[in-house]
Amino acid sequence: MPEEVRDAIAVARELLERGNAAEAARVVEPLVEKFPKLSEPCVFLGLAREREGAVAAAVEAFLRALKRGARPEDVLPALGRAREAGGDLKGAEDAYHEAARLMPEDVDVKLGLARIALWAGAWERAAAILKWCEATRADVVLFSVVADFRLGQFDAALRRARGIEGATGEVVCWSGRALLEKGDAALAAEAFKRVTREGDRGGPANVL
């Protein structure tokens, strides 16, 4: 890799870490055309565009990186995220499936597939994916709570939610909904009051 590209990517990486995605994109974008055989500038341009919410430009950059020979393992998860953010769920699913084939143990890729299944209302498929990886992170368990709720398994949803240390407002809201379905309105009300008190009103509607 030319020194100019290596230095620019180092600067872009630092800018991304600081949350300055627009400036990171400005640093690497000229290199995409200047070095038409290199994939690395395309990858970092895609990451910067994804971070600033320009998902169509991110998808274009990631696809260009793949055409230039970037390792699919380095690009496909990000391509899936960008397509998902842009509403292209079929394209996102395709990218995640290919990434999962190459990286069968990657939890983030599996979580991407689970999100697609949840968006599609495929609760059982989502639950099966999440069962594999739910022990790793609290955000995975949150999706399992949602899947259990949608499957009508309210006791299971409550058990999972209560097992999450420092549960977020999202988890508490889903717990409240499960309690309502079980007919325990008093406990459900307490859960909803807790979310309101703590100022975390955002959650459940944003999960799906």
Side-chain angles (χ1 to χ4, degrees):
M1 185 189 304
E3 187 175 353
E4 177 185 355
V5 176
R6 187 168 57 249
D7 291 346
I9 285 176
V11 171
R13 181 182 286 113
E14 186 175 346
L15 287 166
L16 280 177
E17 289 173 356
R18 293 178 180 175
N20 195 341
E23 185 64 16
R26 189 193 66 75
V27 169
V28 295
E29 190 163 25
L31 304 177
V32 171
E33 302 302 333
K34 186 173 181 179
F35 297 92
K37 293 185 178 180
L38 290 181
S39 62
E40 290 86 354
C42 301
V43 173
F44 274 88
L45 179 60
L47 292 172
R49 294 302 188 203
E50 179 194 3
R51 192 76 63 84
E52 65 178 339
V55 291
V59 167
E60 181 183 354
F62 291 138
L63 290 174
R64 188 180 291 191
L66 289 170
K67 286 180 182 176
R68 294 186 183 188
R71 289 177 73 247
E73 297 93 322
D74 294 337
V75 180
L76 286 169
L79 176 60
R81 289 195 310 270
R83 284 175 167 171
E84 183 183 351
D88 179 10
L89 300 186
K90 177 63 170 65
E93 185 175 31
D94 290 344
Y96 288 139
H97 269 305
E98 181 60 16
R101 185 184 70 79
L102 296 169
M103 302 180 291
E105 303 299 315
D106 192 293
V107 174
D108 286 316
V109 170
K110 292 287 181 68
L111 185 56
L113 286 170
R115 285 195 304 270
I116 299 298
L118 287 169
W119 277 109
W123 314 117
E124 292 185 4
R125 176 152 47 96
I129 296 170
L130 291 163
K131 185 177 180 181
W132 180 87
C133 58
E134 69 171 13
T136 60
R137 293 200 317 254
D139 60 339
V140 176
V141 180
L142 167 60
F143 281 91
S144 293
V145 171
V146 177
D148 283 337
F149 179 89
R150 293 298 191 183
L151 287 167
Q153 297 174 0
F154 306 121
D155 286 328
L158 285 167
R159 280 196 303 274
R160 290 183 196 278
R162 287 166 179 163
I164 300 176
E165 224 176 294
T168 65
E170 289 172 318
V171 174
V172 177
C173 276
W174 283 105
S175 298
R177 292 181 66 176
L179 287 163
L180 274 180
E181 293 291 338
K182 286 171 58 66
D184 198 332
L187 280 179
E190 283 303 312
F192 295 136
K193 284 177 185 175
R194 174 182 160 191
V195 175
T196 303
R197 264 197 319 269
E198 294 174 2
D200 188 353
R201 302 167 186 262
N206 297 328
V207 175
L208 299 181

